[in-house]
Amino acid sequence: MNAPNERNYMPHLEIVSKRISIENYYLKMACLVSERSTCARRKVGCVLVDKDNHVISTGYNGVPSGTVHCIDKPCAGANAKSGTELDKCESIHAEINAIAHCLNPSQIYAAYVTVSPCVHCIKALLATPCEWLFFNRQYAHAESLELWEKGGRFYRLI
C-alpha cells in the first residue's frame, strides 16, 4: 500500500499557507474605504476593529455631509504640500469619521489606516483603548507616532 499523498491527506495546509494576513486584509479594506473620499488632496481610509478582529467602524476623509465635495470644488488647502496648511483643509479625517461612527468607541482595539495618522487623529485614537495602529504609508508628521508610542501603544508599517 502506498503512503498517503500529503496533498490529499492534509489539503487545508495548502489553503492556509496562501491565506492573506489579517493585517493585509484590513489594510486592503481601508484602501477600499478610501475610494469613497471626497478630498481632492488625498484619499484616506480607516477600519477600526475590536479584540476579536471584527470590524466595528470605517471612515474616509471628506468634507462634512451636505457640503460641496472638495473633489468637485477644491478647498483652500487642496493643493498644499503634505503635512502643511491643515487649517485650510475642510476635510474631516478618516480616523475621526471612523471614531464618530463607532457605536461603542470603548471596543476599539486596532486601527488600520492607509496613511499614518496626523497628530490630531493620534490624540483622538489615544482617547480610546485602541492598542494597535497599522498603516501602509507614513505621513509627513513623525511626531504623531512618537506621541502614540509615548502613550504605550504599538504601531506597524506594513
Side-chain angles (χ1 to χ4, degrees):
M1 190 163 170
N2 292 337
N5 181 327
E6 214 174 299
R7 187 172 235 190
N8 293 330
Y9 185 65
M10 296 188 293
H12 64 283
L13 290 181
E14 186 176 340
I15 295 168
V16 171
S17 68
K18 293 183 180 182
R19 188 174 186 195
I20 188 173
S21 72
I22 197 77
E23 292 86 3
N24 282 318
Y25 173 72
Y26 285 122
L27 280 172
K28 283 183 177 221
M29 191 180 291
C31 287
L32 180 61
V33 170
S34 76
E35 292 299 313
R36 291 286 299 157
S37 172
T38 63
C39 180
R41 190 174 189 173
R42 166 183 307 111
K43 291 180 177 287
V44 179
C46 176
V47 175
L48 301 177
V49 301
D50 63 16
K51 284 190 175 192
D52 294 322
N53 282 321
H54 294 128
V55 174
I56 55 176
S57 186
T58 64
Y60 53 85
N61 61 325
V63 295
S65 182
T67 307
V68 176
H69 296 310
C70 191
I71 54 176
D72 297 327
K73 183 181 177 199
C75 70
N79 295 316
K81 183 180 171 190
S82 181
T84 67
E85 301 186 52
L86 296 180
D87 55 328
K88 291 183 180 178
C89 178
E90 296 176 11
S91 184
I92 299 169
H93 290 192
E95 301 90 335
I96 301 301
N97 273 324
I99 293 168
H101 291 100
C102 186
L103 292 177
N104 189 353
S106 67
Q107 293 180 338
I108 300 170
Y109 177 72
Y112 295 85
V113 192
T114 55
V115 180
S116 62
C118 71
V119 70
H120 303 292
C121 291
I122 286 289
K123 289 177 183 179
L125 286 166
L126 283 169
T128 75
C130 184
E131 293 182 28
W132 278 95
L133 175 63
F134 298 92
F135 52 91
N136 53 20
R137 288 189 320 265
Q138 189 149 348
Y139 185 63
H141 296 166
E143 65 271 11
S144 63
L145 294 176
E146 292 170 12
L147 183 59
W148 184 252
E149 285 185 310
K150 188 177 179 181
R153 315 295 174 93
F154 310 97
Y155 73 88
R156 187 173 302 146
L157 171 66
I158 304 232

